[in-house]
Amino acid sequence: MLRSSVAPLAAGLRSGVLRAFSTAPSPPAAASAAPAAPATPVAPAATAPPPVPERTSFGGLRDEDRIFTNIYGRHDPFIKGAEKRGDWHRTKDIMVKGADWIVDQMKKSGLRGRGGAGFPSGMKWSFMPKVSDGRPSYLVVNGDESEPGTCKDREIMRHEPHKLVEGCLIAGTAMRARAGYIYIRGEFVAERKAVERAIDEAYKAGYLGKNACGSGVDFDLYVHYGAGAYICGEETAMIESLEGKQGKPRLKPPFPAAVGLYGCPTTVTNVETLSVAPTILRRGPEWFSSFGRKGNAGTKLFCISGHVNRPCTVEEEMSIPLRQLIDTHCGGVRGGWDNLLAIIPGGSSVPLLPRKICDDVLMDFDALKAVQSGLGTAAVIVMDKTTDPIDAIARLSYFYKHESCGQCTPCREGTGWLYDIMTRMTKGDAHLEEIDMLWEITKQIEGHTICALGDAAAWPVQGLIRHFRHEMEARINQGKQAAIGAH
């Protein structure tokens, strides 16, 4: 009680004293004081430079900014031609800067994986152990490329194989890997031979093997080819296949960076992702990140097929508008843009988009995600108005049914159900309520499997229902009318 009554009194005295000092007049200046020196002019505070405005237009990549300068095979794809184009130029200087420097530069570049998932590459490389526990580390290269509509990695392997081989060496250095395995799709015979020859040339030149490039790093590279199973494009199924087992995905965790090939730390990465790494490190991460929108940096190989005047694989800037990509490099849609029905923007596993979205959507990870699709492998499949969208998606449903490894019940059973219902839908032999049933089946598959094949089977059907439900309803109603007429 004493403390509580004294505290307000002390506080009042203290505040009164402070007020007295703060309001007291200043003493007059002494008469003998020297005249005041003239005030020194104060320089105005430096103003911060105005922020660089964000770019709003993309595309029109210049030839001097292209990474893949022989993607069409017009020049020598092997070591003499590759060295003339800048491959293997001062590779040793990159390697001796060390693993941490390489990983840091890749992070700064903003490169995201080019195999479909779009995971930041530098971050993925950094997951590998920095100190060995006695187990060797491995690099596995995904050259399986079985996604329908995708034909970019095969062009790299047969026309720019040294970019891939050099990228493997640099990535292996960054991951402290002792060896790398390039897993090539079994049907890619010419591509496999080109890569094998490039590896042989690199060994003869001293670029691979013991003391690779004179850097003090030992790195060996091997080629393994599969038997054409789509599921082996999944990283852990690929590891299983490399080990001589059936290509069935593993449960995660443990993740490959901890327990991968032969039980050792492993990173599985895409052909295109590795092939761009040497150029990024030579020209600098700032150069690479100057292309595309924020979070979607760099250049990208786009594969455009289907109903266009000139199907092609082309390197362009990320975030280029989809319509500009098709008009500039493919001569437009067959019959003109008004004849466009829909486009699958990233390989068969991503949902299709109707023309009204294709008019102004950008080709990058975030823009396509915002419209409920995905960049995937950037395999653009164009469908004009002669296409039956229900039949097209039914054909994809058959593909995923056929390629399911059968390990997970939702995928093993669900892909068959999707195909059966979609087959009936093409003929109108269905009920309207089965459209919602079809949607529910996709949701029971999506996210309920070990790997993403279940998602890949579900998403095309979801895209069809989302954008072409009216077509499905009309087809079913026509089927009912035809059945009534037959009786």
Side-chain angles (χ1 to χ4, degrees), residues 43 45 69 99 112 148 196 250 286 288 299 314 346 351 372 391 407 426:
T69 53
R112 293 172 66 173
E196 287 175 339
R250 297 175 179 175
E286 296 79 14
F288 189 76
T299 65
V314 63
Q372 296 181 293
D391 194 34
Q407 185 173 203
T426 61

Side-chain angles (χ1 to χ4, degrees), residues 28-197:
S32 59
T40 305
V42 179
T47 57
V52 178
E54 287 192 16
R55 291 175 57 198
T56 56
S57 63
F58 305 92
L61 187 69
R62 300 175 302 173
D63 286 343
E64 54 265 35
D65 288 322
R66 298 190 192 282
I67 295 174
F68 300 101
T69 53
N70 192 39
I71 198 68
Y72 304 120
R74 294 171 180 164
H75 310 289
D76 176 18
F78 299 111
I79 194 161
K80 289 184 179 179
E83 288 176 337
K84 288 179 182 177
R85 292 189 295 274
D87 298 343
W88 298 110
H89 176 65
R90 301 183 69 175
T91 308
K92 174 185 175 181
D93 294 346
I94 295 173
M95 297 172 66
V96 297
K97 290 185 178 180
D100 292 337
W101 180 85
I102 295 173
V103 169
D104 181 63
Q105 294 293 293
M106 295 306 293
K107 286 181 178 179
K108 289 178 179 177
S109 74
L111 174 66
R112 293 172 66 173
R114 300 311 198 211
F119 192 82
S121 298
M123 183 181 296
K124 186 174 184 178
W125 296 10
S126 72
F127 293 157
M128 293 290 276
K130 292 180 171 55
V131 179
S132 174
D133 58 2
R135 297 175 298 164
S137 295
Y138 294 117
L139 166 69
V140 173
V141 184
N142 188 343
D144 192 58
E145 195 171 57
S146 299
E147 179 83 356
T150 309
C151 48
K152 62 184 181 65
D153 293 342
R154 67 180 303 181
E155 303 295 348
I156 296 171
M157 288 188 283
R158 64 180 171 180
H159 295 146
E160 301 259 23
H162 276 279
K163 274 190 169 52
L164 172 59
V165 174
E166 186 186 13
C168 290
L169 174 62
I170 288 174
T173 302
M175 299 171 192
R176 300 169 178 84
R178 178 61 187 84
Y181 295 86
I182 304 176
Y183 188 105
I184 299 179
R185 180 178 173 181
E187 293 90 339
F188 286 175
V189 177
E191 292 78 2
R192 169 170 53 86
K193 290 180 177 178
V195 172
E196 287 175 339
R197 177 173 169 180

Side-chain angles (χ1 to χ4, degrees), residues 112-119 124 142 147 150 152-153 233 269-273 300 346-347 349-350 365 373-379 452 459:
R112 293 172 66 173
R114 300 311 198 211
F119 192 82
K124 186 174 184 178
N142 188 343
E147 179 83 356
T150 309
K152 62 184 181 65
D153 293 342
T269 191
N270 176 256
V271 165
E272 185 185 354
T273 308
K300 179 80 183 72
S349 61
V350 304
F365 295 105
S373 188
L375 182 65
T377 58
W459 289 340

Side-chain angles (χ1 to χ4, degrees), residues 270-289:
N270 176 256
V271 165
E272 185 185 354
T273 308
L274 290 172
S275 299
V276 301
T279 305
I280 292 173
L281 295 171
R282 286 193 186 97
R283 301 189 69 167
E286 296 79 14
W287 165 79
F288 189 76
S289 63

Side-chain angles (χ1 to χ4, degrees), residues 443-455:
K443 288 299 183 179
Q444 291 296 328
I445 300 172
E446 181 186 8
H448 295 88
T449 55
I450 291 175
C451 81
L453 191 144
D455 297 352

